[in-house]
Amino acid sequence: MTLNELLLRLRDLSRNGLAAPLLLLMIVGMMVVPMAPAALDLMFTTNITLAIAILLSVIYVMRPLDFNSFPTVLLFATLLRLALNVASTRVVLLHGHQGTHAAGRVIEAFGEFVVGGNYAVGLIVFVILTIVNFMVVTKGAERVSEVSARFVLDALPGRQMAIDADLNAGILTRDEAKARREEVRSEADFYGSMDGASKFVRGDAIAGILILFINVIGGLLIGTLQHGLGFGEAAKLYTLLAIGDGLVAQVPALLLSTSVAVLVTRMSRQADMSTQVMSQLFNQPRVLAVTAGVLGLVGLIPGMPNLAFLLLAVVCGGAAWMLVRRARAAAAAPVEAPPAPQPPAELSWEDVPGEDVLGLEVGYRLIPMVDTRQGGELMARIKGVRKKLTQELGFLIPPVHIRDNLQLQPAAYRLLVHGVPVAEGVVHPDRELALNPGRVFGAVEGIATKDPAFGLDAVWIEKGAREHAQSMGYTVVDCPTVVATHLSHVVKTHAHELLGHDEAQALLTQLGKQAPKLVEDLVPKLLPLSVFVKVLQNLLAERVPIRNLRVIAEALAEAGARSQDPVVLSGLVRVALGRQIVQEINGLEPELPVLTLSPQLEQVLQDSLKSGGAVIEPGLAERMHRSLSEQTRRQETLGQAAVLLVPPALRPLLARFTRQTIPGLHVLAYDEVPDSKRLRMVGAIS
């Protein structure tokens, strides 16, 4: 197999996700399976090559974040080197008595050539390398990583606020702000990982020292006791092998430590290290001129290495002269006239921002709850709410656009419809909400509050107290469920605002696949689309689902020739949907408890309508509202639905009167109740 084929095979393994598992298996295999000296030579050379490649990658990378896989690469390189230490130790102790060549040519070369075959010199060189690696490079890189991680995490909220401020000021687009936030989070994750990765290098340096002494002591014992070597011969042989093995490991370890130090001391700017150093250190003629003068004076002192100092003085002076000459030439060059300022671009319709139909804004403490990468469950809950309400209401609920808002409290959220806030709440991500359904058997410890969706009494409890609260009769839900339930309640309340012309046309298109003639005759021949939309909105505003669209369309087709008034048409559609409306209220129960108006009150309201009045006199309205509220509360206490049965002409007026203030009351016309349902009068409003 050629080198090109080997590289292609490695690239295929990397794409298939097999490179990392195979590397781990290879590392484990080197620790367990004995390796031949030739294989050790190849792996030691590969280890040194890998360390050099990592160091060069760190030097030439433009920003530290561009090499965000460095902590993982450092871990694998450290594990590979430790596995090689274990494999080489086995070979040295098993075959070291045969000579320095028994452990491979690489270890022999480092033991014989690098330190001249003198184990005392080799030991000193190894100790110096270890001290430099452990005390200087590794310790400094570890401290810089720790401080950088702390500063980045402390500055995270402020940087996110700055991004939001630029977004609100129009300096950044929404996509640019999203990319900036992602970069800030990635930088925090990177420096946090580097803080932990530096511990690998420190532990590796300590392990190198221990392995060296274990190899020397183990070699002396094995050489003298098992192979009959003299103490001096065994000491020289095994010490050289142990030092060669240690130097083979310490050289790439020093390179990796340097890589860590270079990466964490880099500034997060778009430039490689060579460019930064050359532009900031060797691009100042004054610095080079003063350096040349100092070197020249030192070179003139008798007894000093005059040639070396004077030669470097000439080099620095020549570089300073060239930089000054280049600066003068640039200053003398004709200055091009600056381009004429471009007039500001004219505003267009693209500059008009569009508002999201449904929006959710969260404080920064709730960001993990909506981030699926951090295990957030709210996105899945919202998707489930949209699917359930789409099937329940009969039209497609628009997507919910979620964004963070640092102007909110850290644990607060806000729900918006067409960009306008309609509801808000505060949750505790580290707690759960225990709801009081009306009957509990004791109190639980926590933060007393109200359910943001329905206003029930509730308590924010610790997560460990969930079972205790349930045993006391409370209903316990987590934070994503609280927000999702509140969103569901808001969508049901404002469903009529979410349905527009496009949604209505999509409903007609779907119905046209089943009843093409009905749709063709209805819109726009009989009714304009705007009237059809208004009828659907009226139904949704009165909590009537529009999923039975065929019945709605047939009712409109029958009544459209007599009236174009959306209120009248809505009343006729409600009659056609009477069975569905009543079933939504009390299911399949054969009897429907109802409230009615007293004859005197009914006559007063009828006279008010005949005289052209569409409002109720304030004093009468207050007394009616009080009586309706009391009757509704009494029905809800009995576990029954509160239904007000009125003449068809009065139903729109009374439905609008009670829609917002008494949401538990259902206002029905006489002709909306199917004949199969028995009525039982439970009260009269007088």
Side-chain angles (χ1 to χ4, degrees):
M1 181 182 295
T2 63
L3 178 60
N4 190 27
E5 293 176 350
L6 178 61
L7 293 176
L8 290 176
R9 184 66 58 83
L10 291 175
R11 186 180 63 182
D12 293 339
L13 289 175
S14 177
R15 288 179 177 176
N16 295 331
L18 298 176
L22 289 178
L23 180 57
L24 283 175
L25 289 176
M26 182 183 69
I27 291 173
V28 174
M30 286 191 297
M31 292 182 179
V32 177
V33 180
M35 297 181 62
L40 272 180
D41 290 342
L42 177 61
M43 294 308 300
F44 276 127
T45 307
T46 303
N47 188 29
I48 296 174
T49 305
L50 178 63
I52 295 173
I54 293 174
L55 178 60
L56 293 178
S57 299
V58 168
I59 291 175
Y60 290 113
V61 74
M62 302 300 289
R63 296 183 310 160
L65 286 182
D66 293 340
F67 199 179
N68 55 8
S69 62
F70 180 77
T72 305
V73 172
L74 181 64
L75 172 61
F76 277 102
T78 304
L79 290 177
L80 176 61
R81 189 166 57 256
L82 293 175
L84 285 174
N85 280 135
V86 174
S88 61
T89 297
R90 183 188 298 109
V91 173
V92 167
L93 297 180
L94 286 177
H95 307 290
H97 64 282
Q98 300 176 4
T100 56
H101 63 280
R105 297 296 180 183
V106 175
I107 294 178
E108 182 183 17
F110 273 83
E112 293 285 349
F113 177 75
V114 176
V115 298
N118 190 324
Y119 63 85
V121 175
L123 183 61
I124 294 173
V125 172
F126 176 82
V127 171
I128 291 175
L129 282 176
T130 304
I131 291 175
V132 170
N133 186 14
F134 179 69
M135 297 299 296
V136 180
V137 182
T138 301
K139 197 171 184 62
E142 181 182 359
R143 181 58 178 167
V144 173
S145 300
E146 180 182 353
V147 174
S148 300
R150 185 182 306 167
F151 284 176
V152 168
L153 291 175
D154 290 344
L156 185 60
R159 296 177 69 178
Q160 289 182 335
M161 291 180 63
I163 294 172
D164 287 336
D166 291 343
L167 177 62
N168 295 332
I171 300 175
L172 298 176
T173 64
R174 184 173 299 176
D175 293 337
E176 291 173 343
K178 183 178 179 181
R180 290 275 295 274
R181 292 192 192 99
E182 183 65 28
E183 182 179 352
V184 168
R185 285 193 289 266
S186 299
E187 186 175 356
D189 294 340
F190 172 75
Y191 281 105
S193 300
M194 286 301 301
D195 184 24
S198 60
K199 306 296 190 298
F200 300 148
V201 181
R202 180 180 182 182
D204 182 37
I206 298 174
I209 300 174
L210 297 177
I211 290 173
L212 173 69
F213 287 106
I214 290 173
N215 285 343
V216 172
I217 297 173
L220 287 175
L221 295 176
I222 292 175
T224 54
L225 298 179
Q226 291 187 3
H227 300 293
L229 299 177
F231 182 82
E233 183 181 0
K236 180 178 181 181
L237 183 60
Y238 283 100
T239 303
L240 283 176
L241 289 174
I243 291 172
D245 182 26
L247 289 175
V248 170
Q250 279 302 312
V251 169
L254 182 59
L255 293 177
L256 283 181
S257 302
T258 307
S259 302
V260 175
V262 170
L263 194 63
V264 297
T265 54
R266 288 279 303 275
M267 297 292 292
S268 296
R269 295 178 181 173
Q270 196 73 14
D272 61 77
M273 192 184 71
S274 302
T275 304
Q276 288 181 336
V277 172
M278 291 300 296
S279 61
Q280 299 172 10
L281 182 60
F282 297 110
N283 199 28
Q284 302 183 35
R286 182 181 303 175
V287 173
L288 294 175
V290 174
T291 303
V294 173
L295 291 175
L297 291 176
V298 174
L300 295 177
I301 298 175
M304 296 296 291
N306 308 99
L307 180 60
F309 279 99
L310 292 176
L311 179 61
L312 287 177
V314 172
V315 171
C316 292
W321 178 76
M322 290 180 61
L323 290 175
V324 171
R325 184 178 178 183
R326 186 184 303 171
R328 289 177 179 174
V335 180
E336 297 182 1
Q342 296 293 331
E346 291 293 333
L347 292 176
S348 65
W349 286 106
E350 295 179 356
D351 296 316
V352 180
E355 295 290 351
D356 299 327
V357 180
L358 275 176
L360 171 63
E361 296 179 348
V362 297
Y364 69 85
R365 281 195 63 196
L366 304 185
I367 292 177
M369 195 167 65
V370 300
D371 190 354
T372 55
R373 294 172 300 180
Q374 303 184 41
E377 300 178 0
L378 185 57
M379 297 292 291
R381 302 287 175 86
I382 290 177
K383 185 177 180 180
V385 167
R386 287 186 60 220
K387 183 177 180 180
K388 178 178 178 296
L389 293 180
T390 296
Q391 297 172 350
E392 181 179 333
L393 297 178
F395 72 99
L396 180 63
I397 303 300
V400 181
H401 292 268
I402 303 176
R403 63 175 62 90
D404 57 336
N405 186 352
L406 295 180
Q407 296 179 354
L408 296 175
Q409 298 179 24
Y413 66 90
R414 178 184 295 165
L415 297 168
L416 304 94
V417 176
H418 294 294
V420 180
V422 295
E424 59 184 3
V426 178
V427 296
H428 296 267
D430 54 343
R431 291 174 176 261
E432 292 182 330
L433 186 65
L435 299 170
N436 185 347
R439 183 181 180 185
V440 294
F441 305 101
V444 292
E445 294 184 0
I447 304 172
T449 184
K450 293 282 187 180
D451 171 44
F454 304 103
L456 300 175
D457 292 331
V459 180
W460 286 105
I461 61 173
E462 299 289 343
K463 292 185 177 181
R466 182 186 185 95
E467 295 183 358
H468 173 68
Q470 289 176 338
S471 66
M472 302 290 289
Y474 288 86
T475 301
V476 183
V477 294
D478 56 8
C479 284
T481 303
V482 173
V483 179
T485 304
H486 198 182
L487 173 66
S488 176
H489 179 70
V490 168
V491 171
K492 288 181 180 179
T493 305
H494 298 270
H496 59 286
E497 301 179 36
L498 306 179
L499 181 76
H501 285 64
D502 291 338
E503 290 78 13
Q505 185 61 55
L507 290 174
L508 288 174
T509 302
Q510 290 295 111
L511 180 61
K513 298 177 182 179
Q514 304 173 4
K517 184 61 177 175
L518 175 61
V519 175
E520 180 183 352
D521 293 341
L522 181 61
V523 178
K525 289 184 179 180
L526 193 60
L527 293 176
L529 181 61
S530 59
V531 175
F532 179 72
V533 172
K534 188 61 179 176
V535 171
L536 297 183
Q537 290 176 343
N538 289 342
L539 294 174
L540 291 171
E542 295 175 353
R543 293 171 290 174
V544 178
I546 59 173
R547 58 178 180 269
N548 202 347
L549 190 63
R550 183 163 185 164
V551 174
I552 297 174
E554 290 175 348
L556 290 175
E558 294 176 3
R562 302 194 303 269
S563 175
Q564 297 278 312
D565 186 358
V567 177
V568 175
L569 293 175
S570 300
L572 296 174
V573 171
R574 286 180 60 93
V575 174
L577 295 175
R579 183 178 291 106
Q580 171 190 320
I581 295 174
V582 174
Q583 186 176 359
E584 293 279 346
I585 295 174
N586 77 330
L588 298 177
E589 295 292 332
E591 192 175 65
L592 178 66
V594 297
L595 302 168
T596 60
L597 299 176
S598 66
Q600 297 84 357
L601 178 59
E602 182 177 321
Q603 186 61 44
V604 169
L605 296 176
Q606 293 276 17
D607 294 341
S608 176
L609 281 179
K610 289 179 181 179
S611 63
V615 295
I616 305 174
E617 189 270 328
L620 177 61
E622 182 181 357
R623 294 192 297 273
M624 281 180 56
H625 187 275
R626 187 185 310 115
S627 180
L628 287 170
S629 298
E630 292 175 355
Q631 294 286 354
T632 301
R633 192 179 305 112
R634 183 172 64 86
Q635 288 295 104
E636 291 178 345
T637 304
L638 296 174
Q640 299 177 353
V643 179
L644 177 63
L645 197 62
V646 298
L650 294 179
R651 196 208 63 80
L653 174 64
L654 294 175
R656 188 170 59 252
F657 174 67
T658 60
R659 182 182 305 161
Q660 299 296 332
T661 55
I662 315 177
L665 179 65
H666 303 271
V667 182
L668 299 182
Y670 293 147
D671 52 359
E672 293 176 5
V673 181
D675 297 336
S676 60
K677 188 74 68 173
R678 297 196 307 269
L679 300 178
R680 177 170 56 89
M681 192 177 73
V682 295
I685 308 300
S686 60

